[in-house]
Amino acid sequence: MVPTVEVVVVSRNTEAESVISLELGSATGEPLPSWTPGAHLDVWLPNGLIRQYSLCGDCGDTGDTGDTGSGTWRVAVLAEPRSRGGSAWLHDNATEGTRLKVVGPRNHFELLPARGYVFIAGGIGITPLLPMVAKAQRDGAGWRLWYGGRSRRSMAFLEELERYGERVRVWPQDEHGLLDLPAILGELESGTLVYCCGPASLLDAVQEHCRELPPKTLHVERFTASERRDGGEDDRPFEVECAASGLTVTVPAGVSILDSLARAGVEVPSSCTEGVCATCETVVLDGEPDHRDSVLSEEEREEGEVMMICVSRAKGGRLVLDV
């Protein structure tokens, strides 16, 4: 069960042009749950929106042992020009003392053990990679971070990254152009894993360059959905049995499980509705999901224990979900 936590903003800092960081502490005095690099929080905003933000502090004193820590969490928020109200609300209203409800931490971008790492960040995609870099450094692994952005003034945490010296390559586009992916990914040593987070254009380019690498070499986290299969013969009606509420709901072609359940009065928290954020992650008790999300790993898809009901469907005629 993913915990729900009441937090309070302990401090707010400007990290770059249009980027703020918020340090969050427990609002109840109870220890905050531990976390591991790659984890994020679902932040429930007073305006009714739910938004996801990567934890970008150092979890070295709490998350690596599995123990519950009592410190603070840090997230960073980019003021999106086309924001639907999430980042704008936090930029306008989140100040010291602001109380928020969060769900998490969740982690679908876990840092796996490896001999070495290549980290590639684009813009605000630096946030989940910061604790990964800290852990790789602490563990004595070989690693490099390539950090691209529009300009230095738009790139957060540059001063914080200076302590790593030449292991970090800062690559502002207005100075150097786009990241040189052929050079970065051209000759990886055996056992090296690649972690990338940033805009879709960067992730798509990195995936193309990693196409010939061994399976499970590349790990990405997306802010927007990757191209997925929709419609056609596979988008047929099916039934969903709601084990917790006792209802059976028909999901028509062209309508999501999430929307079908809502029409029947079964509300499941959701945010992106694009299969990216994992807010609507639901336990599958029976049946085979047709996964169409951009979150789960191939191993998680094969296990079939959870699914993102905002985009995924059923391979057969029936699913039993824990809702």
Side-chain angles (χ1 to χ4, degrees):
M1 180 68 69
V2 181
T4 299
V5 184
E6 298 290 336
V7 298
V8 61
V9 176
V10 176
S11 65
R12 167 179 169 145
N13 293 288
T14 299
E15 303 294 348
E17 186 179 77
S18 301
V19 179
I20 61 170
S21 67
L22 302 174
E23 186 180 3
L24 307 174
S26 172
T28 63
E30 297 180 3
L32 294 174
S34 61
W35 59 283
T36 53
H40 73 268
L41 301 174
D42 298 340
V43 180
W44 293 53
L45 299 172
N47 61 6
L49 297 177
I50 305 171
R51 292 294 180 262
Q52 293 69 43
Y53 298 100
S54 297
L55 286 163
C56 59
D58 187 350
C59 60
D61 60 345
T62 58
D64 294 338
T65 64
D67 297 331
T68 299
S70 57
T72 58
W73 289 332
R74 184 178 69 170
V75 297
V77 183
L78 170 67
E80 295 277 5
R82 295 181 298 276
S83 170
R84 291 181 292 174
S87 67
W89 191 95
L90 288 169
H91 272 257
D92 293 343
N93 299 282
T95 58
E96 186 174 330
T98 300
R99 295 171 73 100
L100 297 166
K101 183 175 79 169
V102 303
V103 176
R106 308 175 191 262
N107 198 341
H108 288 286
F109 193 41
E110 184 179 0
L111 183 67
L112 301 177
R115 293 175 56 188
Y117 302 94
V118 171
F119 300 111
I120 304 174
I124 198 64
I126 188 62
T127 51
L129 301 186
L130 286 175
M132 293 187 181
V133 164
K135 179 166 172 45
Q137 179 78 357
R138 201 162 48 242
D139 291 348
W143 64 272
R144 283 274 196 175
L145 167 64
W146 295 81
Y147 180 14
R150 296 189 310 276
S151 65
R152 290 182 184 272
R153 64 179 180 275
S154 70
M155 299 170 70
F157 305 112
L158 291 182
E159 290 186 10
E160 189 170 310
L161 290 167
E162 287 178 357
R163 59 178 166 158
Y164 297 117
E166 294 184 356
R167 288 195 174 199
V168 175
R169 294 296 304 274
V170 176
W171 202 266
Q173 186 174 345
D174 62 352
E175 297 178 22
H176 304 299
L178 297 176
L179 286 167
D180 188 356
L181 296 181
I184 296 170
L185 299 167
E187 296 183 6
L188 297 182
E189 295 184 7
S190 176
T192 298
L193 298 183
V194 179
Y195 280 79
C196 181
C197 185
S201 57
L202 173 63
L203 270 60
D204 291 344
V206 170
Q207 285 184 317
E208 182 62 31
H209 282 86
C210 291
R211 191 175 299 278
E212 303 301 322
L213 296 178
K216 303 179 184 178
T217 296
L218 175 62
H219 302 264
V220 302
E221 183 169 61
R222 289 184 176 271
F223 299 139
T224 57
S226 57
E227 184 177 350
R228 66 175 188 266
R229 173 173 48 85
D230 281 315
E233 294 181 0
D234 291 332
D235 196 3
R236 58 183 179 272
F238 58 95
E239 289 188 339
V240 169
E241 179 183 336
C242 306
S245 54
L247 294 175
T248 296
V249 176
T250 298
V251 180
V255 181
S256 70
I257 299 175
L258 182 72
D259 288 342
S260 298
L261 293 180
R263 293 175 182 178
V266 180
E267 296 292 340
V268 177
S270 66
S271 177
C272 72
T273 68
E274 295 180 339
V276 174
C277 71
T279 303
C280 69
E281 179 177 290
T282 302
V283 174
V284 180
L285 301 177
D286 194 22
E288 186 176 2
D290 177 8
H291 295 290
R292 303 184 182 186
D293 63 274
S294 301
V295 177
L296 297 176
S297 67
E298 289 303 318
E299 292 81 2
E300 291 170 323
R301 291 168 184 257
E302 291 174 5
E303 290 167 357
E305 296 179 355
V306 296
M307 65 185 299
M308 308 303 152
I309 63 172
C310 65
V311 293
S312 298
R313 301 185 68 79
K315 288 190 175 180
R318 188 177 183 86
L319 289 172
V320 182
L321 303 180
D322 188 18
V323 294

